[in-house]
Amino acid sequence: MSVAAGAVMYDSTGATAMAGTTADRPFSTSSPFRTPVAPDDAVDQRSDEVVGPLVESGEVVAGLYEYGIPVWRATPGTARVPVRCDPPGDWGECPLEGDGVPVPAEATPHSGSDGAMVVVDEADGLVYEFWQADRTDDGWVTSWGAVNELNGSGWGGASTGAGASRLAGVVRVDEIRDGRIDHALVMQANEVCREVFRAPALKTDGVSDDPNCVPEGARLRLDPSIDLDAVEMTPGERTVARALQTYGAYVIDRTAVPLSISFELAPDATAHDPGEVYRSAGFAWDYFGMPGIPWEGLQLMEEPR
């Protein structure tokens, strides 16, 4: 597959990652992200109270550009560059500091305040994740980050509020092009619980004390009894809706809008255009609300035991 100059790289030519895991299909088959929701899994008794306010507008926004996730790929020839972490508090030893990180010369974070960026090293089977990253004269500085195993669970580190990998659950450009997503998605919510979280989350950045807040790590699912073929949707919405019925989505971060879903930043995206693949699938602008998806059917699944 051809790649535009200076853009995100998707092809897996020469990849030596463990079987079944690549930059395009990360994490173990036993990962929570690659495990479907069973149709008979229990819905939380408080589902309506928790989910109702999040979908009251009838929209859940797609983060396509400003907060789209740039996924870059290092090769064995990619030079390692120094990374310095400058956290907002005493957070201990930063996993990105040390011997340097193989960051492609053309890599850039997204333009949103999270300054997020992911670098996948398939040869070493590692995923480098940046939060509030910025290039310097001799390397990179970032507020924090994480290093996860490409063949791991998709959970670990502090690049997201819940401790999920920043790569995990992101809707990829090729998935929208192909009309198929074979993993759970990731969501961000504005009413995220303070201190309370659910497995597989490792922590939370929530600040809400609302009794109907949503805990990070919670899994949301689109009611599988809904006949999506009978609902009028754009092709992209249908792809997302099918994934939400089959795999659901984990809440992993706090955001300003009621509910959002993470998408990969397209290689041809601009500040005014999310890219040809997204546009052709009906996502004509950043923060597209996906109103065709029957969000009233979104359910909070019961906490795992």
Side-chain angles (χ1 to χ4, degrees), residues 21-22 83 169-170 175 180 208 220 232 244 262 277:
T21 56
T22 67
V83 175
V170 174
E175 291 171 337
R180 184 181 179 92
S208 178
L220 305 182
E232 185 176 347
L244 288 171
S262 291
V277 169

Side-chain angles (χ1 to χ4, degrees), residues 93-105:
E93 183 178 353
C94 177
L96 294 176
E97 293 183 333
D99 297 331
V101 175
V103 181

Side-chain angles (χ1 to χ4, degrees), residues 30-170:
S30 62
S31 164
F33 284 102
R34 293 181 66 177
T35 304
V37 183
D40 58 351
D41 278 359
V43 176
D44 194 293
Q45 293 183 352
R46 297 180 56 251
S47 178
D48 289 345
E49 290 80 5
V50 173
V51 178
L54 300 177
V55 298
E56 187 176 11
S57 69
E59 295 191 347
V60 172
V61 303
L64 301 172
Y65 175 75
E66 186 176 15
Y67 287 90
I69 306 302
V71 182
W72 301 92
R73 199 181 77 186
T75 68
T78 301
R80 289 185 172 269
V81 297
V83 175
R84 177 175 59 86
C85 289
D86 186 16
D90 184 12
W91 290 7
E93 183 178 353
C94 177
L96 294 176
E97 293 183 333
D99 297 331
V101 175
V103 181
E106 67 272 23
T108 55
H110 69 208
S111 61
S113 60
D114 283 350
M117 183 175 76
V118 172
V119 176
V120 181
D121 186 339
E122 289 184 332
D124 287 342
L126 295 175
V127 182
Y128 298 92
E129 304 164 13
F130 295 73
W131 175 58
Q132 295 183 338
D134 192 24
R135 188 188 300 273
T136 65
D137 290 339
D138 61 349
W140 287 81
V141 62
T142 186
S143 291
W144 204 250
V147 181
N148 277 294
E149 293 184 2
L150 188 59
N151 196 47
S153 69
W155 293 87
S159 60
T160 64
S165 166
R166 182 63 281 177
L167 179 62
V170 174

Side-chain angles (χ1 to χ4, degrees), residues 16 108 212 280 305:
T16 58
T108 55
N212 293 322
S280 295
R305 290 188 173 86

